[in-house]
Amino acid sequence: MMVKLKNIDKIYPNGFSALKNINLDVSNGDIYGIIGFSGAGKSTLIRIINLLESPTNGEVIVNGKDLSKLNNKELRLQRQKIGMIFQHFNLLSSRNVFGNVSFALEIAKWGKDKIKTRVEELLELVGLSDKANYYPSQLSGGQKQRVAIARALANQPHLLLCDEATSALDTKTTKSILHLIKDIQKKLNLSVILITHQIDVVKEVCNKMCVISNGEIVESGNVEDVFLNPQQEVTKELISFMPPTRDDNIVDYLKDKSNVYKIIFTGPNAYNPLVSQMVKKFNVDVNILSGSIDEIIDKEVGHLVIKILGDPFIIQDCLNWLIAQGVTIQTIILKDK
Ligand code: ADP
């Protein structure tokens, strides 16, 4: 067993009970997904696994060791065997890619020559050998997360913790990062625990999962079992957010395929509530057919499939207006399909 949590409670100093009697078993080689809505207790839980947060009650056993029984030095050594990556990458902006990865080894007091060899090996593993001299500001989100993964793996951990690691990435980059995690898991025989609010992430990479709600694990099991036969309302609700694999699928179900448009927002205007502004301005109705919230608020790209209801001339005005807003509407397809 790689991780065993026994009867974990977490009560924050203000009296809030964030975790209640959590029991969790993660076997060697699992990619274990912990999913729940915002505020469910996911971050608290993952931070307890490396004792960044200490539990009020219960045992945290990682690779056979009860972490709460270790002294500071022992805990530091154990933590080197637990890699962690974050939603916002947490890279050092003043260091280049090489320097960010070597940092983990400098702290672990590796010699200079050994560091160089190891960093090169890691950059190769994550596909960034040609970017060693780049600074974080010169990298895309996906590349930054690759650097963070290389750093997390530097000390040859047994366990990789992923804290919403793909939540700041667009769909395509998310896929490539998840692919990398899966690949690395196999190559290095790692165990991985990831927390996410995105059900498709769990479906894409995990073999085991649990659902956390109000600080309690309400359902757990093999991913396919939970997906095929969800027991709890919250699980059903989470699964209902599963985006379709292809937008066309949704459109296929529509009887009336007219005035269905796929709009792709890129650039700074992706944040603006253009669709709701359009609805008010032109007094049309809009059915949103696909495009998850994550994709809509995503930094790099948002996409929406919408059906606009209204007078054809006004619909044309709507489309012209959207295009005039300076967002890149790459294309509008599916019309009268
Ligand atoms: P999630 O990661 O699922 O969004 P968190 O673990 O961040 O959830 O938070 C779970 C609950 O614990 C939330 O209701 C949050 O407000 C509360 N919480 C988190 N940190 C603290 C803290 N330091 N003190 C008090 N309450 C906290």
Side-chain angles (χ1 to χ4, degrees), residues 256-311:
D256 177 6
K257 296 183 181 28
S258 61
N259 297 316
V260 174
Y261 304 96
K262 181 171 182 177
I263 302 175
I264 299 170
F265 305 86
T266 54
N269 263 333
Y271 290 109
N272 294 341
L274 291 180
V275 171
S276 83
Q277 287 170 11
M278 178 186 84
V279 166
K280 282 185 210 139
K281 192 171 164 66
F282 296 95
N283 195 24
V284 285
D285 282 322
V286 168
N287 269 340
I288 295 177
L289 301 174
S290 95
S292 68
I293 298 286
D294 300 305
E295 287 174 25
I296 296 165
I297 61 169
D298 186 271
K299 287 198 177 71
E300 281 145 303
V301 65
H303 93 244
L304 271 181
V305 177
I306 60 174
K307 181 176 171 69
I308 308 177
L309 310 170
D311 178 275

Side-chain angles (χ1 to χ4, degrees), residues 70-85:
L70 303 180
N71 65 32
N72 282 346
K73 191 174 166 216
E74 290 166 334
L75 181 59
R76 214 173 332 114
L77 286 175
Q78 283 308 309
R79 278 212 187 112
Q80 287 180 2
K81 296 293 173 191
I82 308 176
M84 190 160 183
I85 58 172

Side-chain angles (χ1 to χ4, degrees), residues 235-249:
T235 313
K236 289 177 195 168
E237 203 182 337
L238 283 160
I239 291 174
S240 75
F241 287 109
M242 194 60 214
T245 31
R246 294 183 59 214
D247 296 311
D248 311 43
N249 292 354

Side-chain angles (χ1 to χ4, degrees), residues 12-14 16 18 37-45 195:
Y12 279 113
N14 68 355
F16 183 79
F37 288 112
S38 177
K42 303 181 295 295
S43 307
T44 307
L45 183 56
I195 64 166

Side-chain angles (χ1 to χ4, degrees), residues 57-107:
N57 292 303
E59 288 173 40
V60 181
I61 298 162
V62 179
N63 208 17
K65 294 207 166 65
D66 185 343
L67 296 191
S68 56
K69 301 234 162 71
L70 303 180
N71 65 32
N72 282 346
K73 191 174 166 216
E74 290 166 334
L75 181 59
R76 214 173 332 114
L77 286 175
Q78 283 308 309
R79 278 212 187 112
Q80 287 180 2
K81 296 293 173 191
I82 308 176
M84 190 160 183
I85 58 172
F86 305 89
Q87 178 172 5
H88 297 296
F89 326 118
N90 298 9
L91 299 180
L92 298 166
S93 58
S94 61
R95 282 184 167 225
N96 62 17
V97 167
F98 186 99
N100 266 281
V101 180
S102 71
F103 190 64
L105 298 168
E106 290 162 31
I107 288 178

Side-chain angles (χ1 to χ4, degrees), residues 165-184:
T166 55
S167 298
L169 304 174
D170 63 72
T171 317
K172 198 165 153 228
T173 312
T174 293
K175 278 216 158 85
S176 82
I177 292 295
L178 293 177
H179 194 267
L180 177 65
I181 290 174
K182 216 170 175 172
D183 219 39
I184 286 169

Side-chain angles (χ1 to χ4, degrees), residues 307-319:
K307 181 176 171 69
I308 308 177
L309 310 170
D311 178 275
F313 290 104
I314 295 178
I315 291 176
Q316 194 53 52
D317 286 346
C318 288
L319 298 175

